[in-house]
Amino acid sequence: MKMTPSALLTVSLLLSGSAASASPKAEKTALTRAIAAALVDAGARVVTNVPATGVTEVFDAFCDLSGQPKTYSYNEEVAYTVAHGAAIGGVRSAAVLKSHGFAKAANSVIDSLTAGNTAGFVVLVFNDESGEHSDTDFDTLPFVRGTKLPVVVPKPGAAYEDVLQAFRTSERLRVPVAVVLDSNDLAKEVSVARRRLPAPAAAYRRDVYQYLLFPLLAPYQQKMLEARLAGKPLTGEKPRLPIIPDQLSPQFQATARSYVPVFEAFKKVKGADAVTAGDTGTSTAFAFPPFDCIDMATYYGGSIPLAIGLYLSGKTNAWAVTGDYAFVAAGHMGLIEAVQRGIPLKVLILHNGFAAATGGQRIMPDVFERLLSGYKDHIRYIKHAEADADAARKVLAEAKASGRLEIIVAEVP
């Protein structure tokens, strides 16, 4: 993505300065605790972390100050996406990651910039400049800037205020903001005057033009992103949404038609309060009329962690919809997150044995089944939905009513 000089200047100005006058009373504390206090005072309700030297101390301090449980993630892409889903859902969130972990999450990072967020979303990226705790000497700042996220590089004494300002900037621009810090500074003592940010002004509303990444919408979404970063009004004619499946490209129509009976049942069961995350695949086309079944989508395999974030934001009727190839590629990592957090997520997997969106590449025998074998007590099957609509609705309704993680495998021709 290319940004004009004026857009870059606007982002720079929005990120400079403090959000409001500080409280007159300042106290000395370690930078670790100052950053944690900024997350608490910003009202961040969902904060994720993958353990790393120097980084996790900030997350632990946040949990100690806020009373939130210390739930660590295993994969940085999942951790980042959970926080992003929560920010779309309308609560402030943060991901606390080491620089190498941020690089691992880059697929989700670049998609989160285009999809944007409702409430403030800040990623704290900790650089190990000495290289003492890293497998490689990684030049962090150029990489972070290359993602095109607005970036703040605070001095230790300004970190508290800059983290608060990053949340405000994220909400003004409706994009994530990266705050890059040196993990070797965390033991330094700084002076902090604590204050609370007011609650986010915006609430989540379904908007597939904003939150759903799909090739048909990409040119329009790029223009919207450039306008947001430049602080300009969002103008321009929205593209017409296709009628599914008839107005899809011919190469996708056959697969989409095979999905129709499942989505007809899903539309009737999910409920008006449902919020559903998809990922980049043929199934995400069912976000469009007359189905309107999917509300947001980012990277391939990202629907499950995105839906976890939605659940944590208070959207308890949260669903994830994915294809089997996307689930094998990355989606299964999100199931681990759902299990350890005890989230009764509902996951619908369209199972046809191949990658429909990229030319029909086959899943090798038994791979899909092996990945699901650890969750056999949570699996329900929809067989022959095209011939037995009542049975499909029954399976989905039972899963929805369940108070636990449910994985619905819909076998399609």
Side-chain angles (χ1 to χ4, degrees):
M1 182 195 74
K2 293 182 178 179
M3 290 177 60
T4 64
S6 61
L8 285 167
L9 176 61
T10 302
V11 171
S12 176
L13 290 173
L14 286 166
L15 288 172
S16 64
S18 62
S21 59
S23 167
K25 184 178 180 181
E27 296 180 356
K28 295 283 189 179
T29 186
L31 180 59
T32 299
R33 197 168 181 85
I35 297 169
L39 295 176
V40 172
D41 295 345
R45 283 175 45 191
V46 176
V47 177
T48 60
N49 167 250
V50 175
T53 303
V55 176
T56 301
E57 286 83 344
V58 172
F59 177 74
D60 288 351
F62 164 77
C63 293
D64 292 340
L65 288 172
S66 66
Q68 295 191 24
K70 295 178 182 178
T71 304
Y72 307 103
S73 298
Y74 298 94
N75 178 275
E76 288 85 354
E77 188 175 53
V78 171
Y80 185 94
T81 309
V82 169
H84 181 217
I88 292 177
V91 302
R92 289 185 180 134
S93 64
V96 183
L97 303 174
K98 187 177 176 178
S99 55
H100 291 67
F102 179 84
K104 190 188 296 185
N107 194 18
S108 183
V109 171
I110 58 178
D111 278 1
S112 71
L113 180 66
T114 303
N117 40 272
T118 305
F121 176 28
V122 171
V123 53
L124 302 180
V125 183
F126 286 85
N127 186 24
D128 176 22
E129 290 193 359
S130 67
E132 294 178 10
H133 309 291
S134 304
D135 45 357
T136 57
D137 187 4
F138 176 43
D139 199 358
T140 301
L141 195 54
F143 184 90
V144 177
R145 284 180 170 148
T147 67
K148 303 301 181 184
L149 263 63
V151 179
V152 188
V153 188
K155 294 180 179 179
Y160 174 87
E161 282 293 330
D162 283 352
V163 170
L164 292 184
Q165 177 67 3
F167 277 101
R168 292 171 64 92
T169 301
S170 176
E171 285 169 7
R172 185 181 299 114
L173 301 180
R174 296 186 69 181
V175 298
V177 173
V179 179
V180 179
L181 302 126
D182 185 353
S183 59
N184 296 297
D185 289 336
L186 288 173
K188 291 182 177 178
E189 192 174 71
V190 296
S191 181
V192 171
R194 293 186 63 177
R195 60 192 177 83
R196 296 271 183 175
L197 287 187
Y204 167 76
R205 294 195 312 171
R206 185 178 191 267
D207 184 357
V208 296
Y209 289 102
Q210 169 75 57
Y211 299 122
L212 186 109
L213 303 189
F214 195 80
L216 171 71
L217 305 178
Y220 173 78
Q221 289 170 337
Q222 177 64 26
K223 290 179 181 178
M224 283 203 304
L225 173 60
E226 291 172 353
R228 290 204 307 275
L229 291 175
K232 295 180 179 179
L234 305 181
T235 58
E237 185 177 354
K238 294 179 178 179
R240 288 185 61 185
L241 300 179
I243 303 300
I244 305 301
D246 295 342
Q247 293 180 0
L248 277 179
S249 300
Q251 64 265 36
F252 301 128
Q253 282 191 18
T255 301
R257 290 185 191 284
S258 72
Y259 292 168
V260 165
V262 176
F263 279 101
E264 287 177 337
F266 181 52
K267 183 176 181 178
K268 293 178 180 179
V269 169
K270 66 184 181 71
D273 64 333
V275 185
T276 304
D279 45 36
T280 49
T282 306
S283 59
T284 296
F286 286 84
F288 304 133
F291 294 92
D292 302 312
C293 280
I294 295 174
D295 304 305
M296 63 195 68
T298 55
Y299 65 94
Y300 196 65
S303 61
I304 295 175
L306 202 61
I308 291 171
L310 290 169
Y311 183 91
L312 293 173
S313 77
K315 308 293 189 291
T316 53
N317 188 11
W319 292 73
V321 175
T322 185
D324 51 6
Y325 208 101
F327 174 79
V328 171
H332 65 278
M333 293 186 292
L335 285 182
I336 301 170
E337 191 84 12
V339 168
Q340 76 161 357
R341 290 180 180 270
I343 293 176
L345 196 66
K346 315 307 176 191
V347 181
L348 174 60
I349 305 175
L350 285 300
H351 181 35
N352 55 14
F354 63 93
T358 55
Q361 295 83 4
R362 284 283 171 190
I363 298 174
M364 294 299 290
D366 297 332
V367 169
F368 179 69
E369 290 75 13
R370 284 178 181 271
L371 283 175
L372 281 177
S373 62
Y375 304 93
K376 60 183 179 180
D377 294 336
H378 295 268
I379 300 175
R380 301 174 189 266
Y381 288 91
I382 296 175
K383 299 178 182 289
H384 310 296
E386 74 284 357
D388 195 348
D390 289 338
R393 287 195 294 271
K394 183 174 184 291
V395 170
L396 288 165
E398 289 174 348
K400 179 186 174 183
S402 166
R404 63 175 195 162
L405 171 69
E406 295 283 351
I407 303 166
I408 306 100
V409 178
E411 297 180 348
V412 293

